[in-house]
Amino acid sequence: MPIMALGALFVILWQGRMRYIGIAGIGLALALWQFGDRPRVLIADTGGLIGVMTDTGRALSRKKGAGFVARNWLENDGDGVAQDVAALRWSVGKVAAFNLIQVSGKRAIASFAGCRPGDIVVMNGELAQPALPDCLVLDPKTLRATGAVALVGEGKDARLVSARDVGGDRMWSGWARYPKVPLDLPETRDKMVHKTK
């Protein structure tokens, strides 16, 4: 965006043939925008919405609710569909080497049987009993300390990035009162099998 803004300012303010340099800057900004990577998985700061990038666009885990977040994700992806249409794309189980599980609602959380190694569990309520250490549980307590979470990168380069990591501890963010939570990807079953051999 800054490159585009500077290019536009150059076109508007400069006189003569040098203003065409600003058009080149705008073109460069548009090219960089087209080739920039969006996160493969986005998890809302409430745990109530997950978005996974598919071949047909971002698939959303819910047809309704968290509309502002869903609209922003779809808009930033350049996808002009409504939330309910994006929710029809949802058939996610495995993302990269991880199983992505969303547990939403009190009954679903109460009946949650647990997770296996390599699972990333996203829930919008608290678990009564702690989960297994081999999986990552993103519940409201964790998400309050991290903000929204994104899975970026592929394969060995995959990592979780939180809004707190990107934005930092600002006075107005409210994160300073929560201790930092490490967001380490869980080890997949394949990695664990290779480790034991």
Side-chain angles (χ1 to χ4, degrees):
M1 266 325 225
I3 296 173
M4 184 179 285
L6 287 173
L9 279 172
F10 208 87
V11 168
I12 293 168
L13 298 176
W14 204 267
Q15 294 181 354
R17 292 187 180 168
M18 290 292 286
R19 73 176 10 170
Y20 293 116
I21 294 173
I23 293 174
I26 293 171
L28 175 66
L30 290 172
L32 290 173
W33 186 23
Q34 290 297 322
F35 296 112
D37 286 335
R38 293 279 296 144
R40 184 118 182 241
V41 177
L42 293 169
I43 300 167
D45 61 344
T46 61
L49 185 67
I50 303 173
V52 176
M53 187 58 80
T54 66
D55 294 336
T56 57
R58 185 147 326 257
L60 298 178
S61 62
R62 298 182 64 183
K63 290 182 182 181
K64 293 182 179 181
F68 180 75
V69 174
R71 211 171 21 257
N72 280 329
W73 289 353
L74 294 170
E75 186 179 295
N76 289 336
D77 290 336
D79 196 348
V81 301
Q83 181 176 352
D84 58 341
V85 175
L88 294 174
R89 301 173 183 159
W90 184 262
S91 64
V92 175
K94 197 159 183 89
V95 177
F98 308 100
N99 288 319
L100 187 62
I101 302 166
Q102 184 175 28
V103 183
S104 187
K106 290 180 182 177
R107 277 186 252 148
I109 292 170
S111 64
F112 181 63
C115 50
R116 295 178 293 195
D119 289 348
I120 299 174
V121 182
V122 180
M123 51 183 52
N124 62 356
E126 303 284 334
L127 270 178
Q129 74 282 358
L132 293 175
D134 297 331
C135 63
L136 175 65
V137 177
L138 297 173
D139 58 2
K141 182 180 178 183
T142 304
L143 291 169
R144 267 191 301 276
T146 63
V149 176
L151 176 64
V152 296
E154 298 286 331
K156 294 178 184 175
D157 296 330
R159 68 188 193 291
L160 290 172
V161 178
S162 71
R164 185 177 188 174
D165 293 337
V166 174
D169 289 340
R170 306 275 194 253
M171 202 168 48
W172 53 86
S173 68
W175 286 326
R177 64 179 171 225
Y178 299 106
K180 277 203 166 204
V181 176
L183 287 177
D184 297 324
L185 284 170
E187 294 204 25
T188 61
R189 273 168 258 154
D190 300 336
K191 289 181 187 173
M192 292 183 83
V193 169
H194 292 300
K195 239 185 197 182
T196 56
K197 287 185 180 178

